[in-house]
Amino acid sequence: MSVSNSVPAKAQKHVGQKIRVKKNYQYIGLLYIAPWIIGLLVFQFYPFLSSLYYSFTDYNMVSTPKFIGLDNYKKIFTADPDFYQSLKVTGIYVLLAVPVKLAFALFIAVLLSAKLKGINLFRTVYYLPSILGGSVAISVLWRFLFMKEGVINHMLGYLHIGPVDWLGSPDVALYTLGLLTVWQFGSSMVLFLAGLQQIPNDLYEAGSIDGASKVRMFFKITVPLLTPIVLFNLVMQMVNAFQEFTGAFVITNGGPMKSTFLYALKLYEEAFSFFKMGYASALSWILFIIIMVVTAVIFKTSNSWVYYEDGRG
């Protein structure tokens, strides 16, 4: 009788020990991710909420914020022509740079998907621009390349083409900045390349048997199966393009004639040149809403052009 009673007791003790060990592992896991949680709360969540409050205040980073209600937003929409100029320039920039960047990334990914000797070296080389990114050093290099006496115009001179005022002409400067973004196509290219390698070869063999050309197979097989990746790249690159700052600041500083006066440059100017932190916070929230609306529209329309293997789309 005593032996039979001792077995459940031992089992309960063993289960209790396992539960305690499991809880200890949970605490250890929380300890490991604690720096990330603290960083998220202190450097992202708190500034996020603070900027919402500051957007309703008159705040110059020195004196105490003074609550003024919707005055910042009223001024933005009714008395700030630079707001509409920066919004227009940014919209054109996004519509120009993002589609060209994605198309070029897909084109290079198709080329690099070929099974050739040393292809991994080429993939690494083509990814390098994304590692360097839109840094200040690259922006300075871009300015020297496209200045009136720069390398690009010297190369055009060998072809007996006159120099182009890449950065000094209001009609051309924004396109030159867009080229810098397109040049950083590596991250999108890697995702497209991964997607291309996941497409079954049987589909291409079936298309070939049916007499379909490579161009037709590209648009009828490759592109539809890549549309989920196109959706992801489109959203990510769109968000980045709306927030583009470094190139416009270093290369043209918004000129000439505010033709490259991107929204992020307008926000920076209000915050750190005029010290209107409350006004800049309002601008940042307007940009946040614009990005959210555009993203929502993209996701809403994706049902009509994104194809998933489970039949959705």
Side-chain angles (χ1 to χ4, degrees):
M1 191 72 179
S2 61
V3 174
S4 62
N5 288 336
S6 64
V7 174
K10 288 182 178 180
Q12 291 175 5
K13 183 178 180 181
H14 181 65
V15 171
Q17 289 176 344
K18 289 182 71 175
I19 292 174
R20 283 194 295 272
V21 170
K22 189 175 181 179
K23 286 184 177 180
N24 289 335
Y25 278 124
Q26 290 176 345
Y27 293 139
I28 293 173
L30 289 173
L31 185 63
Y32 275 114
I33 66 171
W36 180 85
I37 294 175
I38 294 171
L40 176 68
L41 294 175
V42 175
F43 297 110
Q44 294 188 24
F45 192 66
Y46 173 72
F48 183 78
L49 294 180
S50 296
S51 68
L52 178 60
Y53 168 70
Y54 290 142
S55 70
F56 299 105
T57 65
D58 181 10
Y59 180 43
N60 60 7
M61 296 190 294
V62 178
S63 60
T64 304
K66 179 184 177 182
F67 187 80
I68 57 174
L70 295 174
D71 286 359
N72 284 330
Y73 293 95
K74 290 178 182 177
K75 183 179 178 181
I76 289 172
F77 288 108
T78 61
D80 190 351
D82 285 346
F83 164 73
Y84 292 101
Q85 173 65 16
S86 64
L87 203 59
K88 174 186 172 183
V89 170
T90 304
I92 296 172
Y93 178 82
V94 171
L95 291 175
L96 286 174
V98 174
V100 176
K101 184 177 185 178
L102 294 185
F104 191 64
L106 178 57
F107 173 72
I108 298 298
V110 171
L111 294 181
L112 295 180
S113 64
K115 296 179 181 179
L116 300 174
K117 187 177 181 180
I119 195 67
N120 289 331
L121 175 62
F122 285 101
R123 291 172 181 172
T124 303
V125 170
Y126 275 99
Y127 186 68
L128 283 177
S130 289
I131 296 177
L132 298 173
S135 63
V136 173
I138 296 300
S139 297
V140 172
L141 174 63
W142 208 257
R143 185 173 64 186
F144 277 105
L145 286 174
F146 285 93
M147 62 192 303
K148 204 161 186 179
E149 298 81 18
V151 176
I152 302 300
N153 277 335
H154 275 295
M155 294 175 64
L156 292 176
Y158 290 121
L159 300 174
H160 304 288
I161 300 175
V164 178
D165 196 1
W166 299 99
L167 303 176
S169 171
D171 298 326
V172 182
L174 190 61
Y175 296 97
T176 307
L177 285 183
L179 285 176
L180 177 58
T181 298
V182 173
W183 181 70
Q184 301 161 23
F185 63 88
S187 57
S188 299
M189 179 204 69
V190 169
L191 292 172
F192 281 135
L193 187 59
L196 288 168
Q197 293 174 344
Q198 297 301 314
I199 298 177
N201 228 14
D202 299 344
L203 297 176
Y204 295 110
E205 292 176 358
S208 180
I209 292 172
D210 290 339
S213 64
K214 289 186 177 180
V215 174
R216 185 173 178 81
M217 285 191 288
F218 175 77
F219 286 104
K220 295 297 183 180
I221 298 175
T222 306
V223 173
L225 292 177
L226 285 179
T227 47
I229 298 176
V230 173
L231 173 63
F232 178 80
N233 277 334
L234 176 61
V235 172
M236 295 303 296
Q237 298 305 325
M238 180 272 299
V239 171
N240 290 335
F242 266 112
Q243 300 176 84
E244 175 61 32
F245 168 75
T246 306
F249 180 71
V250 175
I251 299 174
T252 61
N253 197 26
M257 298 173 61
K258 294 188 181 289
S259 61
T260 61
F261 193 59
L262 295 178
Y263 195 96
L265 199 58
K266 162 71 174 172
L267 201 156
Y268 172 86
E269 186 180 83
E270 295 292 343
F272 300 106
S273 296
F274 305 140
F275 300 104
K276 298 178 181 178
M277 188 57 68
Y279 194 77
S281 296
L283 286 169
S284 68
W285 271 90
I286 292 172
L287 178 61
F288 173 73
I289 292 171
I290 291 172
I291 292 174
M292 291 296 292
V293 170
V294 175
T295 303
V297 170
I298 292 174
F299 274 105
K300 187 68 176 178
T301 59
S302 66
N303 294 329
S304 61
W305 60 271
V306 177
Y307 170 81
Y308 296 97
E309 292 185 8
D310 60 3
R312 292 180 293 128

